[in-house]
Amino acid sequence: MPGQFTLVLHSHLPWLANHGRWPVGEEWLYQSWAASYLPVFAMLRRLADDGLRDQFSLGITPVLAAQLDDPHCGASMYEWLADWQLRATEAAVDADPDRQALGQREYRAAADALAGFETHWRHGGSPQIRALAAAGVVEILGGPLAHPFAPLLNPRLRDFSLREGLADAHARWGYDPTGIWAPECAFAPGMETEYAAAGVGHFMVDGPTLHGDTALGRPVGDTDVVAFGRDLVVSYRVWSPKSGYPGHAAYRDFHTYDHATGLKPARVTGRTVASEDKKPYEPERVDAVIDRHVDDFVAQVRRRLIAESERQGRPALVVAAFDTELFGHWWHEGPVWLERVLRRLPEAGVQVGTLASAKRDGFVGEPVDLPASSWGSGKDWRVWNGPQVQHLVQLNAEVTDTALDTVDKLVGPGSVRSLVADQIVREALLTVSSDWPFMVSKDTAAAYAVDRAHKHAHATREICDAALSGRDARAATLAGNWACADNLFRGLDARRLRGGLR
């Protein structure tokens, strides 16, 4: 087969620790950890043990990495897994045979997850990530702190966020990512020079940003920074709301719960079937369906590689990109499908590699100038600056100005580190997270998102107000109290904000 296929997985959750549990909050982290991160990392260990290398590019945002290493999150995750097993026990002793089968199945799954967590995750996520990077089974992609929508961010804070995010990766993993997943695949002309200055060699954009011509990476502007585009023809084969694999009738339904235990008892049954009418999930029906979808995907990749290679007269690159949380959390059978795909593609003659290996092996075309873009609705910025989130756009601008002005007054040339200034920057970065406007625009826990944005904005403002009015002890107390909840990025040093873009 000509060319190379590259899978890119983007792993991200906003900072959830100490900000609610249910229905939105830490529960989101523990569900994703149990259903996605545990099985995906276990799969990668198996692939590494079999000597496989350069299987895909794995983006892990600094804010997610911080939660996977956080002692509170680790202890709470262990409790969540134990609670999962208790809830399964409750279902297993029910008189209803379907709930008995559900409980027994979930009890075994919880036991396996507990064993895997105790064995591999008890010291946090960083040892896992370091080991996978060292084995060469994946390329690890970094990113900016707290996942901001970079094009709308003050350039000074944008530069700081990116550089500190890369430094955070080095501190946690002893590894310097050469590629990043730009939050929301968002881009504004000129950002390529900032990437080059920070040492970023490649990043992801969505297919329409390259006008659908994603068969090669493209240097951006006058830099050597390469933009790789997501191939929508292949990617939408998996993750399409109308025809994607996870919607098959036999797969476990994400949205239907057994409300007594919180377990998921039903299969999709049909796309228009109401939750109360869905049939019980039957794992024995699934294996053959997974195999059919693996074969279909492999065939699609082959067809796309051949067509794109013929079109451009040279071996093509095909990049499929997804959220990691799709595999397991949203699509229960996803991790099994993913491992079978990765093992079957080479058997079908398809070369598998990473973004880094694609760049190294010459899957790069002529330079381009990229437009303002994202991978959101409309492939523009409307999700993050549309009319429904203008109040958050204004909030972000006000908080950023207040934070930068205050930090400039607190730290100067030769000054000692200020924990007050550090916490101001930390809260400002959490305020401008891209997750909050996304959740509002998509009406997914919008009230939680607005509350979180305003909570971090309030923290920023009250620390700034105390600091600027000379109430140093009060400012230190406020900063310390907020740090109890938002204790991420402890290496962040506000003094590095001085001087603007370098």
PDB file of all heavy atoms in Angstrom, residues 215-228:
ATOM      1  N   ALA A 215      -3.758  15.238   2.421  1.00  0.00           N
ATOM      2  CA  ALA A 215      -2.950  14.066   2.067  1.00  0.00           C
ATOM      3  C   ALA A 215      -1.468  14.247   2.365  1.00  0.00           C
ATOM      4  O   ALA A 215      -0.699  13.292   2.215  1.00  0.00           O
ATOM      5  CB  ALA A 215      -3.131  13.731   0.588  1.00  0.00           C
ATOM      6  N   LEU A 216      -1.070  15.453   2.772  1.00  0.00           N
ATOM      7  CA  LEU A 216       0.300  15.716   3.210  1.00  0.00           C
ATOM      8  C   LEU A 216       0.244  16.766   4.314  1.00  0.00           C
ATOM      9  O   LEU A 216      -0.683  17.592   4.364  1.00  0.00           O
ATOM     10  CB  LEU A 216       1.167  16.243   2.061  1.00  0.00           C
ATOM     11  CG  LEU A 216       1.471  15.275   0.907  1.00  0.00           C
ATOM     12  CD1 LEU A 216       2.136  16.042  -0.242  1.00  0.00           C
ATOM     13  CD2 LEU A 216       2.348  14.108   1.357  1.00  0.00           C
ATOM     14  N   GLY A 217       1.239  16.744   5.208  1.00  0.00           N
ATOM     15  CA  GLY A 217       1.411  17.856   6.105  1.00  0.00           C
ATOM     16  C   GLY A 217       1.892  19.068   5.328  1.00  0.00           C
ATOM     17  O   GLY A 217       2.477  18.937   4.241  1.00  0.00           O
ATOM     18  N   ARG A 218       1.648  20.258   5.865  1.00  0.00           N
ATOM     19  CA  ARG A 218       2.012  21.475   5.149  1.00  0.00           C
ATOM     20  C   ARG A 218       2.747  22.441   6.078  1.00  0.00           C
ATOM     21  O   ARG A 218       2.211  22.815   7.134  1.00  0.00           O
ATOM     22  CB  ARG A 218       0.764  22.184   4.627  1.00  0.00           C
ATOM     23  CG  ARG A 218      -0.072  21.351   3.677  1.00  0.00           C
ATOM     24  CD  ARG A 218       0.550  21.263   2.300  1.00  0.00           C
ATOM     25  NE  ARG A 218      -0.294  20.501   1.372  1.00  0.00           N
ATOM     26  CZ  ARG A 218      -0.059  20.399   0.085  1.00  0.00           C
ATOM     27  NH1 ARG A 218       1.013  20.999  -0.440  1.00  0.00           N
ATOM     28  NH2 ARG A 218      -0.860  19.688  -0.702  1.00  0.00           N
ATOM     29  N   PRO A 219       3.984  22.850   5.710  1.00  0.00           N
ATOM     30  CA  PRO A 219       4.623  23.934   6.463  1.00  0.00           C
ATOM     31  C   PRO A 219       3.752  25.188   6.389  1.00  0.00           C
ATOM     32  O   PRO A 219       3.137  25.465   5.356  1.00  0.00           O
ATOM     33  CB  PRO A 219       5.956  24.139   5.740  1.00  0.00           C
ATOM     34  CG  PRO A 219       6.183  22.871   4.975  1.00  0.00           C
ATOM     35  CD  PRO A 219       4.823  22.369   4.607  1.00  0.00           C
ATOM     36  N   VAL A 220       3.709  25.932   7.483  1.00  0.00           N
ATOM     37  CA  VAL A 220       2.811  27.084   7.556  1.00  0.00           C
ATOM     38  C   VAL A 220       3.606  28.367   7.398  1.00  0.00           C
ATOM     39  O   VAL A 220       4.568  28.622   8.145  1.00  0.00           O
ATOM     40  CB  VAL A 220       2.049  27.101   8.885  1.00  0.00           C
ATOM     41  CG1 VAL A 220       1.047  28.265   8.916  1.00  0.00           C
ATOM     42  CG2 VAL A 220       1.313  25.778   9.082  1.00  0.00           C
ATOM     43  N   GLY A 221       3.212  29.177   6.420  1.00  0.00           N
ATOM     44  CA  GLY A 221       3.862  30.449   6.180  1.00  0.00           C
ATOM     45  C   GLY A 221       5.333  30.286   5.857  1.00  0.00           C
ATOM     46  O   GLY A 221       5.725  29.424   5.062  1.00  0.00           O
ATOM     47  N   ASP A 222       6.150  31.095   6.509  1.00  0.00           N
ATOM     48  CA  ASP A 222       7.593  31.066   6.284  1.00  0.00           C
ATOM     49  C   ASP A 222       8.321  30.216   7.316  1.00  0.00           C
ATOM     50  O   ASP A 222       9.550  30.290   7.417  1.00  0.00           O
ATOM     51  CB  ASP A 222       8.152  32.500   6.321  1.00  0.00           C
ATOM     52  CG  ASP A 222       7.599  33.361   5.203  1.00  0.00           C
ATOM     53  OD1 ASP A 222       7.330  32.812   4.112  1.00  0.00           O
ATOM     54  OD2 ASP A 222       7.422  34.574   5.429  1.00  0.00           O
ATOM     55  N   THR A 223       7.577  29.419   8.090  1.00  0.00           N
ATOM     56  CA  THR A 223       8.194  28.622   9.144  1.00  0.00           C
ATOM     57  C   THR A 223       8.370  27.177   8.698  1.00  0.00           C
ATOM     58  O   THR A 223       7.880  26.763   7.637  1.00  0.00           O
ATOM     59  CB  THR A 223       7.320  28.631  10.417  1.00  0.00           C
ATOM     60  OG1 THR A 223       6.135  27.830  10.192  1.00  0.00           O
ATOM     61  CG2 THR A 223       6.904  30.050  10.782  1.00  0.00           C
ATOM     62  N   ASP A 224       9.050  26.410   9.535  1.00  0.00           N
ATOM     63  CA  ASP A 224       9.167  24.965   9.331  1.00  0.00           C
ATOM     64  C   ASP A 224       8.129  24.199  10.141  1.00  0.00           C
ATOM     65  O   ASP A 224       8.199  22.963  10.221  1.00  0.00           O
ATOM     66  CB  ASP A 224      10.578  24.499   9.726  1.00  0.00           C
ATOM     67  CG  ASP A 224      11.655  25.065   8.801  1.00  0.00           C
ATOM     68  OD1 ASP A 224      11.371  25.220   7.602  1.00  0.00           O
ATOM     69  OD2 ASP A 224      12.763  25.356   9.299  1.00  0.00           O
ATOM     70  N   VAL A 225       7.195  24.898  10.759  1.00  0.00           N
ATOM     71  CA  VAL A 225       6.155  24.264  11.555  1.00  0.00           C
ATOM     72  C   VAL A 225       5.108  23.669  10.616  1.00  0.00           C
ATOM     73  O   VAL A 225       4.566  24.362   9.752  1.00  0.00           O
ATOM     74  CB  VAL A 225       5.498  25.281  12.506  1.00  0.00           C
ATOM     75  CG1 VAL A 225       4.414  24.594  13.339  1.00  0.00           C
ATOM     76  CG2 VAL A 225       6.544  25.914  13.402  1.00  0.00           C
ATOM     77  N   VAL A 226       4.828  22.385  10.792  1.00  0.00           N
ATOM     78  CA  VAL A 226       3.966  21.656   9.866  1.00  0.00           C
ATOM     79  C   VAL A 226       2.571  21.485  10.467  1.00  0.00           C
ATOM     80  O   VAL A 226       2.423  21.060  11.617  1.00  0.00           O
ATOM     81  CB  VAL A 226       4.571  20.279   9.532  1.00  0.00           C
ATOM     82  CG1 VAL A 226       3.611  19.458   8.669  1.00  0.00           C
ATOM     83  CG2 VAL A 226       5.919  20.459   8.822  1.00  0.00           C
ATOM     84  N   ALA A 227       1.564  21.815   9.674  1.00  0.00           N
ATOM     85  CA  ALA A 227       0.168  21.566  10.039  1.00  0.00           C
ATOM     86  C   ALA A 227      -0.299  20.279   9.377  1.00  0.00           C
ATOM     87  O   ALA A 227      -0.171  20.115   8.155  1.00  0.00           O
ATOM     88  CB  ALA A 227      -0.710  22.727   9.602  1.00  0.00           C
ATOM     89  N   PHE A 228      -0.827  19.363  10.174  1.00  0.00           N
ATOM     90  CA  PHE A 228      -1.432  18.137   9.660  1.00  0.00           C
ATOM     91  C   PHE A 228      -2.941  18.257   9.776  1.00  0.00           C
ATOM     92  O   PHE A 228      -3.465  18.691  10.810  1.00  0.00           O
ATOM     93  CB  PHE A 228      -0.952  16.913  10.449  1.00  0.00           C
ATOM     94  CG  PHE A 228       0.489  16.562  10.216  1.00  0.00           C
ATOM     95  CD1 PHE A 228       1.469  16.946  11.117  1.00  0.00           C
ATOM     96  CD2 PHE A 228       0.864  15.837   9.089  1.00  0.00           C
ATOM     97  CE1 PHE A 228       2.810  16.623  10.904  1.00  0.00           C
ATOM     98  CE2 PHE A 228       2.194  15.498   8.867  1.00  0.00           C
ATOM     99  CZ  PHE A 228       3.168  15.893   9.775  1.00  0.00           C
TER     100      PHE A 228
END
